[in-house]
Structures are given as structure tokens and as C-alpha cells.
Amino acid sequence: MTAMEQSHEEIPVPGAWRARLPQWRQRIQGAAPLRVEGRITRIVGLTLEAAGCVAAVGSRCLVETAPGEYAEAEVVGFSDSKLFLMPVGEMRGLMPNALVIPSQRVCEIEVGEGMLGRVFDAAGAPLDGKPAFRGSRRVGLNGRPINPMQRSPIDTPLDVGITAVNALLTVGRGQRIGLFAGSGLGKSVLLGMMTRFTSADVTVVGLIGERGREVREFIVNILGPQGLTRAVVVVAPADAPPLLRLHGAMMATTIAEYFRDTGRHVLLLMDSLTRYAQAQREIGLAIGELPATKGYPPSVFARIPQLVERAGAGINGKGSITAFYTVLAEGDDQNDPVADAARATLDGHIVLSRRLADSGHYPAIDIEASVSRLFTELADREHSAAARKLRAAYSIYEHNRDLINIGAYQAGSDPAIDAAIGLHPRILEFLRQDMRQCVAYRESKERLITLMNA
């Protein structure tokens, strides 16, 4: 029996199709052999078109850039007999009619305990000056989905060390939260606080599409040596090819899955989900996909839930991934297509306010616009009642802010407004927090109850 026949024998064939199998075998055996090598026929933007070879979507190819030198590219699509390739790195020296050698290899990374305390790029190469990492096994970047019925329920509050989140936006272990902010509102500082203060076994940080200057700043100044000891950092800066930015987010998620599968509770911080979506937009438009919403092709809105759903609670209480994804609101527009898609997919969202940041109120969390969808399941009755009272008082004051500031409101006209005015300075003081200060979940809860029952 030939190897091809043996491979077919190992595949269970339904009875209705078994009669056709001999015809397929004869057709395959009598067909002309596939051409292994191809040639580059055209470059359009960042996309290479290759003809004369066959390869699966997601597999890697070697492209000749000089005699005896090759660069890697990944198959991102095809049309008729042409393959669309996206470079993984630099393609300098590429010539017309360059040789293309397909491979059966897909994008994989090595994982293991030695990743803790390390900084990698999106290809798995070290950026911290230490030797190359050698893991215990190799895994693909696409991951394996978990049966939703096998996931553990999210019923344990996670202490993130931030008063406003612990008290009013309580996060559960295994929850996925979006951090929605415009530029310069302190989202990186807030992520750094979560990294240092959150009670997690392992922290995985994905810096996707950010400025190169911010990478060292985040690792040295915000994360710090102590935070790095139990963290893994994956970096795909803004000047990386779109495919590497896409892989950076997938790699960070794959690393988090590895530690979750060992039974540990993982904190995954990804900055940002918007840059991940923009990388997929670049790839989709480059291979001819038509834009659907404000320049974003449909594949972007399919990719976001595929990535986000890999995080969450593990099977039968064995490990979890609590994920925070930053979402950049362009022009502070909370109805941006990516922001809207992320809000519909995630288990809650924390919105940072430019007005609060401009007034020096940090963290600049907009309590009215933020919500944790699992708050009622995680908080007890007393905690929930106190949070509702604070939200009501804060909302009443904000809705009457202009009248109060210009002196048009007369004290005694409305008891609810009078109470909100009296509480407002204490509420603001409760919500403010220094970036070096950690406030535990229990303390945040007790301070909230004491404030609203005073």
C-alpha cells in the first residue's frame, strides 16, 4: 500500500461517500505532480503575488532575496492560480521573478516556564539581550477553542488594586474587559498599575502597534523589575509589518493559554486591540478585500471575536485568563467601528474621560460610561447597594453641573441635587488614586460602603 493510500485509509469515510473513494484515488494517482517552486510575478504594496506553486493559507514560504539568501513570507490568500504572500520581515533585495519555495510549516512558537521575565518580538526572538529561548514544546498561534459548556463560571472577584475598578466595576477572574481611551489619557499608566497590583500568577503583556519609545518606558518605568519577574512581554511596534503586528497579539494570547493550561491564573494585557484590527485591515485591503465600514473590511470584525474568545475561564476551574484590551477611540469617538465591535464582544468596558484627565483627576475613569457586565454576580447585596447610590449621586451632579457651576441652582430646590452636591467632593477623593498606591479589593469595598452610609 502506498503512503497516499495509507493516509486515505486512516481517514474515516462516511458510507455515502465510500463508493466514490476509489475514483478519487485513481484521479489523484494519475494526476500530474504539483509544481513545488514558484516565482514572484508582482508586488502590490506589501503584498507579493506568486505563480507556479501551491500552498495552504497560513503556511510559510521562502522567497529568494539574493543568491543563496531567503526571507520568510506567509500565504494570506489566493486567486485562481496565484498566491498572495505577506512578508514576515524585510524584503530588501527582492527581484522580479524571484524564486518562491512553499513549505508545510505554519507559524509556531516555543513555550515553557523559561519565558517568565523575558521580552520577545512577534517572531519569538528575544529583545532583552538574553540568549534565545528554548521551550519545552511548540504550539501554533491560532489556539484551540474551548467548549463554552466546559468553561468554569466567573464567580471570583479579581483584585486589581485600583479603587474605582474594585468598588464600582468589579472584575471577575476570567473576565474580558475593554479599556476605551483617546490618546494621552493615561491608559498605559493604568495598565502598569494593574500589572503591578493585580493578584495573578502570571502576567502576559502584548504591546501591539505602539511607538518604539514607549516599549522601554513601559517595561522599565511602568512595569518595573519586580513586575517583570512574573511577566512575559511581547512587542510588535508600529514599524513592524502588519503580519507581525497580527502575530504579536496572537502570540501573547498563545502564551497566556499555555500558562492557563498549567492551572495558573493569568492576567493578559493587550495594548492595543485597535492596532491589531488596523493590521488586519492592511492585510485585507492589500489582497483585494472590499471595505465595509469606514474603511474596515469584514475580516476585521471576524478576527476580533476570534482573538478575544480565546481568553476567559479555563476548563473545570483549572486556570483562567483575565484580559484587558485597550481600544483607541479616534477623536474620542466611542462609536468608532472597532470600539463598537469590541464593546459588543467583551464582558465590560472602562472608559477614560478627557475632561477628567484635563482637570488632573487620575485615573480618569468615567463612572457613568463604564460598566462591568458581571458586577451584580460578583458583588454582594451591601456592596451593590452602595455602588448604586454612588453612581446615582455622581450622575445627578454631572447632569446639573452647568447649573451648579454658574450659580443658577438654588440650594433647597431639590433634595437629591443637594445631597449630590454635598457628596461630590468626597466621591472625587474616593475615586482618585496615585499610580504608586495599591488599594486592595476589601479596602475599596469597605471605603465605598462607609462613604455611602455616612
Side-chain angles (χ1 to χ4, degrees):
M1 182 180 296
T2 65
M4 183 176 295
E5 290 174 334
Q6 186 175 2
S7 65
H8 280 293
E9 290 291 344
E10 294 172 354
I11 302 175
V13 183
W17 299 93
R18 189 170 289 114
R20 303 185 186 181
L21 188 56
Q23 300 175 4
W24 290 343
R25 286 179 180 165
Q26 185 177 4
R27 187 178 303 173
I28 292 172
Q29 292 171 353
L34 297 174
R35 285 175 288 180
V36 176
E37 299 176 355
R39 298 285 177 175
I40 295 296
T41 58
R42 191 168 66 145
I43 300 179
V44 181
L46 295 176
T47 307
L48 313 178
E49 289 188 9
C53 57
V54 176
V57 173
S59 63
R60 291 293 180 92
C61 295
L62 294 178
V63 180
E64 186 179 29
T65 56
E69 296 183 8
Y70 297 89
E72 278 193 306
E74 184 171 312
V75 181
V76 295
F78 59 85
S79 177
D80 296 329
S81 60
K82 294 182 179 179
L83 292 180
F84 298 137
L85 310 177
M86 187 70 68
V88 175
E90 291 288 340
M91 279 290 173
R92 292 178 181 175
L94 183 66
M95 300 288 290
N97 208 35
L99 182 67
V100 178
I101 304 176
S103 72
Q104 299 299 322
R105 190 170 66 87
V106 295
C107 191
E108 295 179 328
I109 61 168
E110 296 187 24
V111 293
E113 296 295 325
M115 304 187 87
L116 291 174
R118 300 294 305 271
V119 182
F120 302 95
D121 66 10
L127 295 177
D128 49 13
K130 298 179 181 179
F133 170 73
R134 291 292 176 262
S136 56
R137 59 191 178 95
R138 298 184 66 87
V139 295
L141 290 185
N142 290 321
R144 298 187 306 274
I146 296 179
N147 185 339
M149 294 301 295
Q150 294 180 343
R151 286 190 185 268
S152 303
I154 301 174
D155 53 11
T156 304
L158 180 70
D159 185 1
V160 299
I162 300 171
T163 304
V165 178
N166 281 340
L168 302 172
L169 303 166
T170 305
V171 175
R173 183 172 286 166
Q175 193 170 348
R176 292 84 51 91
I177 297 289
L179 184 58
F180 292 71
S183 58
L185 300 186
K187 65 180 183 305
S188 296
V189 175
L190 192 60
L191 286 180
M193 293 172 66
M194 292 178 181
T195 305
R196 295 193 303 272
F197 302 151
T198 300
S199 55
D201 300 324
V202 176
T203 301
V204 180
V205 181
L207 301 177
I208 312 301
E210 297 302 312
R211 293 180 288 271
R213 174 189 61 82
E214 293 181 335
V215 174
R216 180 176 176 81
E217 182 179 311
F218 182 89
I219 294 173
V220 176
N221 300 333
I222 298 178
L223 185 59
Q226 184 177 359
L228 185 59
T229 56
R230 62 183 181 93
V232 183
V233 182
V234 179
V235 178
D239 60 343
L243 195 63
L244 281 186
R245 280 178 269 144
L246 205 69
H247 285 176
M250 298 165 67
M251 178 178 171
T253 306
T254 301
I255 295 171
E257 288 174 326
Y258 164 76
F259 286 107
R260 178 199 62 194
D261 293 342
T262 63
R264 277 173 279 193
H265 299 293
V266 182
L267 175 66
L268 173 62
L269 304 175
M270 191 168 296
D271 187 11
S272 68
L273 189 64
T274 303
R275 304 299 186 204
Y276 171 83
Q278 290 173 347
Q280 176 59 32
R281 176 176 64 180
E282 292 180 43
I283 295 173
L285 295 178
I287 63 176
E289 191 177 0
L290 296 178
T293 307
K294 291 189 177 181
Y296 287 96
S299 62
V300 171
F301 306 106
R303 283 274 193 176
I304 290 176
Q306 287 174 2
L307 181 73
V308 169
E309 284 296 326
R310 292 171 62 181
I315 299 176
N316 299 326
K318 295 181 179 178
S320 64
I321 301 175
T322 306
F324 287 86
Y325 300 91
T326 65
V327 180
L328 303 177
E330 297 183 5
D332 295 338
D333 180 13
Q334 300 299 326
N335 294 319
D336 175 81
V338 174
D340 199 43
R343 191 182 297 108
T345 306
L346 297 167
D347 303 323
H349 50 273
I350 299 173
V351 179
L352 301 188
S353 165
R354 188 167 298 278
R355 180 182 62 79
L356 291 174
D358 290 343
S359 66
H361 179 106
Y362 288 101
I365 297 176
D366 187 342
I367 298 302
E368 284 189 294
S370 305
V371 64
S372 171
R373 294 180 178 174
L374 296 176
F375 178 80
T376 54
E377 285 81 6
L378 298 169
D380 57 39
R381 183 174 300 179
E382 188 179 21
H383 184 182
S384 297
R388 284 196 300 271
K389 288 181 182 179
L390 187 145
R391 282 180 173 273
Y394 187 89
S395 180
I396 290 172
Y397 185 92
E398 291 299 320
H399 289 173
N400 296 277
R401 169 184 289 275
D402 293 339
L403 292 177
I404 296 170
N405 288 342
I406 65 176
Y409 174 75
Q410 297 295 322
S413 301
D414 189 326
I417 299 179
D418 293 338
I421 294 174
L423 274 173
H424 195 67
R426 286 182 286 168
I427 290 176
L428 293 183
E429 183 63 27
F430 171 76
L431 295 176
R432 287 193 182 99
Q433 185 173 338
D434 186 83
M435 63 178 292
R436 290 169 291 272
Q437 177 189 11
C438 175
V439 182
Y441 174 76
R442 183 181 295 274
E443 181 184 352
S444 302
K445 173 182 170 181
E446 291 175 353
R447 285 177 56 192
L448 171 66
I449 294 172
T450 302
L451 171 65
M452 300 315 299
N453 292 337

